Amino acid sequence: MKLYCLITLAALCGLNLRAQTNAPAATNLTARVVTRIESKSGDFDMNTHQATYHDHVRVTSPEMKLTCERLVADLPPSGGRPDHIVCETNVVIDFTDEHGKTNHVTAAKAVYDFHVQDGVTNDMVTLTGNPLVENAQGTQSGDPIIWDRVNNKFTFQNPKMIFRQSPNIGPAATNSSPKKTNELSVPK
């Protein structure tokens, strides 16, 4: 009985937000990742199969951590992973990519959409409201930012990027002496 409850819980809340290849979606329930959602309050509408979480929402899975103030998830009537999730107000997502690099994402709103069409998995997050993506390489912003989780790719509208440079990497050495100052001389 406990195993059945665990599989049912995994089917209802198994967000499995890890990027996937463009391959047919896995249907094996034992391969699902268990995702935990906690908040101060929540509602579940049995007619629309929609779960709404309010106030200090925390989502934890092996792949990522997410916090926000409101999360609404559309759950398929037949069970399985949610195909549409909206996170609003102070959205913060921390995840490790396929190369082991830590990423920190902030936005006012994040909309997650998942579907499989003709055997191809689409797993997208649209970030709006001054979104930022920060990692060891720098900070990228734009509005909106589209995160294609299958292809591990971000697309930015009106991008602004700040790159962090390692202290050991600099301009090529030259024979000229470096400038001592960039200040203007002001007569006394």
Side-chain angles (χ1 to χ4, degrees), residues 12-13 15 17 35-44 50-60 64-75 82 84-93 108-112:
L12 288 175
C13 298
L15 301 179
L17 296 179
T35 298
R36 181 183 194 110
I37 302 173
E38 299 174 297
S39 67
K40 287 200 173 191
S41 65
D43 304 298
F44 181 69
Q50 191 173 69
T52 304
Y53 299 88
H54 308 275
D55 300 322
H56 304 291
V57 180
R58 293 173 311 284
V59 179
T60 306
M64 63 101 200
K65 292 183 184 339
L66 177 144
T67 59
C68 64
E69 290 302 312
R70 182 171 188 265
L71 182 146
V72 179
D74 294 340
L75 304 172
H84 183 77
I85 301 171
V86 178
C87 301
E88 296 176 301
T89 311
N90 300 324
V91 178
V92 177
I93 304 169
K109 184 176 186 178
V111 178
Y112 171 76

Side-chain angles (χ1 to χ4, degrees), residues 14-148:
L15 301 179
N16 193 9
L17 296 179
R18 183 126 173 103
Q20 301 176 13
T21 59
N22 280 346
T27 56
N28 183 352
L29 284 177
T30 60
R32 294 197 186 272
V33 173
V34 175
T35 298
R36 181 183 194 110
I37 302 173
E38 299 174 297
S39 67
K40 287 200 173 191
S41 65
D43 304 298
F44 181 69
D45 186 329
M46 306 254 318
N47 295 318
T48 63
H49 294 275
Q50 191 173 69
T52 304
Y53 299 88
H54 308 275
D55 300 322
H56 304 291
V57 180
R58 293 173 311 284
V59 179
T60 306
S61 78
E63 293 86 20
M64 63 101 200
K65 292 183 184 339
L66 177 144
T67 59
C68 64
E69 290 302 312
R70 182 171 188 265
L71 182 146
V72 179
D74 294 340
L75 304 172
S78 60
R81 75 184 298 146
D83 55 7
H84 183 77
I85 301 171
V86 178
C87 301
E88 296 176 301
T89 311
N90 300 324
V91 178
V92 177
I93 304 169
D94 291 307
F95 72 96
T96 304
D97 65 19
E98 292 176 342
H99 305 289
K101 295 181 181 175
T102 303
N103 294 270
H104 180 75
V105 178
T106 59
K109 184 176 186 178
V111 178
Y112 171 76
D113 286 301
F114 174 86
H115 67 275
V116 178
Q117 183 174 355
D118 299 326
V120 176
T121 302
N122 292 298
D123 193 354
M124 307 288 254
V125 178
T126 302
L127 304 156
T128 57
N130 299 314
L132 291 172
V133 177
E134 299 176 81
N135 55 36
Q137 287 73 40
T139 302
Q140 301 87 33
S141 65
D143 204 343
I145 296 175
I146 310 296
W147 178 13
D148 178 348

